[in-house]
Amino acid sequence: MRQHTPLQNILATALLSLALVACDSSKPKEAEAPKDEAATEAPAGTEAGTETNTEEESPIDMTALAAYKEKNEAYLAENATKEGVTVAESGLQYVVEKDGEGASPTAESYVVVHYAGRLIDGTEFDSSYKRGEPATFPAGRLIKGFTEALLMMKEGAKWQITIPAEIAYGNMDRGPIPANSTLIFDLELIKVTSEEELIADMKAPQEAYLAENAKKAGVTTTASGLQYKVVESGDGKSPTDTSTVVVHYAGRLIDGTEFDSSYKRGEPIDFPVNGVIPGWTEALLLMKEGDKWELTIPSDLGYGARGAGQDIPPYSTLVFDVELLEVR
């Protein structure tokens, strides 16, 4: 099993929706400097400066953009007059649908929320409800209007917030959200937590699994924390840290989710002993050709806080069935 390029760290465990991640919307991209077309050679048969039949990009419809912006501003003005709507100094509008009684977040907190976001025409662009689970965000790293609302809420609160473009994405498009869009969210603050608590929550079931597995018959735990069980013994040679090995393997998480398998690909794989995660290297150096072991690898001998890709979350304990077929 080759080491993956680390694609995520602890922040990747927060399900940062594209609809909410903060960006600097106050600075539109600079236009490219116009080329000096007069200095280029005119095509044969034409005079320099005359039009040719080349196709040009369609210009942005500034009239439509202005109309869309005006429509959103009119919506805000009308919404501000509705019963129960509070307008903050920033322009944020909110309605308290349910009061909370728990803690309020700070900009350094992480929050667990349910939310659904839509445009003023009702088009929904994101929803944790539809995904079936709440989302976890760093409260201070979201669009300004969302952060401002969160910092005024308490655990258990449910608000409807209406965010002007100026404290959302301004004059920038953002995926399904057009430039100059007012954003409307149903927002429920479920829990206020911290990065340390999030890490502890992720580690707890992994550590419990390791502690329980260590008690099972036939399981050996090394000084590093690697756990292994000899399923079948071989009588061939053992690799060194400069060897290349040929193995069959299948890897899974503690909940049984399989993330990789040479068996399913229909052929074994070869790789250098020192080119894999530490838990694998340690186990291979203890094995002989013909051995078949079950490895249980703590996260600090696996991918640690980084995780790997979309399949292996941070702090994951990894369980492998490994057959050492050949040492080269």
Side-chain angles (χ1 to χ4, degrees):
M1 180 176 176
R2 293 183 173 87
Q3 277 189 286
H4 297 283
T5 301
L7 298 178
Q8 54 183 2
N9 54 24
I10 180 58
L11 293 181
T13 65
L15 303 177
L16 299 180
S17 163
L18 288 178
L20 296 176
V21 176
C23 65
D24 186 354
S25 60
S26 63
K27 297 180 181 179
K29 293 180 180 179
E30 294 183 5
E32 291 184 3
K35 296 177 181 178
D36 185 1
E37 295 182 357
T40 63
E41 185 178 351
T46 66
E47 295 182 10
T50 60
E51 292 185 2
T52 65
N53 289 327
T54 57
E55 200 172 302
E56 296 182 357
E57 288 186 14
S58 300
I60 296 174
D61 189 341
M62 299 304 293
T63 301
L65 286 177
Y68 184 78
K69 183 177 182 180
E70 184 177 341
K71 185 176 181 180
N72 278 265
E73 290 171 346
Y75 180 92
L76 286 165
E78 176 64 24
N79 192 66
T81 66
K82 293 180 179 178
E83 184 177 355
V85 174
T86 299
V87 182
E89 186 176 347
S90 67
L92 172 71
Q93 301 179 4
Y94 61 92
V95 176
V96 177
E97 297 180 343
K98 179 184 175 184
D99 285 320
E101 297 180 352
S104 290
T106 68
E108 289 72 41
S109 300
Y110 280 72
V111 293
V112 181
V113 300
H114 255 316
Y115 69 94
R118 59 190 180 276
L119 305 178
I120 63 171
D121 65 0
T123 301
E124 188 172 80
F125 53 80
D126 197 9
S127 173
S128 66
Y129 295 105
K130 287 190 174 178
R131 288 193 296 273
E133 60 180 4
T136 303
F137 296 117
R141 304 180 205 175
L142 309 171
I143 55 175
K144 292 179 181 178
F146 209 91
T147 291
E148 181 179 355
L150 283 170
L151 298 188
M152 292 190 287
M153 297 175 72
K154 292 182 178 181
E155 288 175 328
K158 187 172 183 180
W159 289 15
Q160 182 184 95
I161 61 176
T162 303
I163 305 177
E166 291 75 17
I167 51 174
Y169 296 113
N171 58 1
M172 296 179 66
D173 290 325
R174 185 74 168 184
I177 301 173
N180 301 313
S181 288
T182 295
L183 309 181
I184 305 163
F185 288 94
D186 297 314
L187 175 60
E188 189 175 353
L189 178 54
I190 299 170
K191 182 180 179 182
V192 177
T193 186
S194 66
E195 184 172 340
E196 292 75 21
E197 289 174 325
L198 284 173
I199 292 172
D201 287 345
M202 284 187 287
K203 284 184 172 181
Q206 309 297 322
E207 292 171 349
Y209 182 91
L210 287 164
E212 186 63 28
N213 192 66
K215 300 174 186 176
K216 293 181 179 179
V219 173
T220 298
T221 303
T222 70
S224 70
L226 172 70
Q227 298 177 3
Y228 66 89
K229 180 178 180 179
V230 178
V231 179
E232 295 179 12
S233 293
D235 56 8
K237 61 184 178 181
S238 293
T240 68
D241 58 5
T242 59
S243 300
T244 294
V245 293
V246 181
V247 302
H248 252 319
Y249 71 93
R252 58 191 180 276
L253 304 178
I254 62 172
D255 65 0
T257 301
E258 188 173 83
F259 53 81
D260 196 8
S261 174
S262 65
Y263 296 105
K264 288 190 175 178
R265 290 194 296 273
E267 59 181 1
I269 186 170
D270 63 273
F271 49 75
V273 169
N274 61 4
V276 289
I277 56 177
W280 259 78
T281 296
E282 180 181 351
L284 288 168
L285 293 175
L286 297 172
M287 296 176 73
K288 294 180 179 180
E289 289 175 327
D291 275 350
K292 184 175 182 179
W293 288 14
E294 181 183 87
L295 308 181
T296 303
I297 302 178
S299 66
D300 57 353
L301 299 177
Y303 296 107
R306 302 169 305 167
Q310 299 300 310
D311 299 322
I312 301 176
Y315 302 107
S316 290
T317 295
L318 308 178
V319 184
F320 288 94
D321 299 313
V322 181
E323 286 184 79
L324 179 52
L325 303 177
E326 183 184 354
V327 176
R328 296 174 181 169

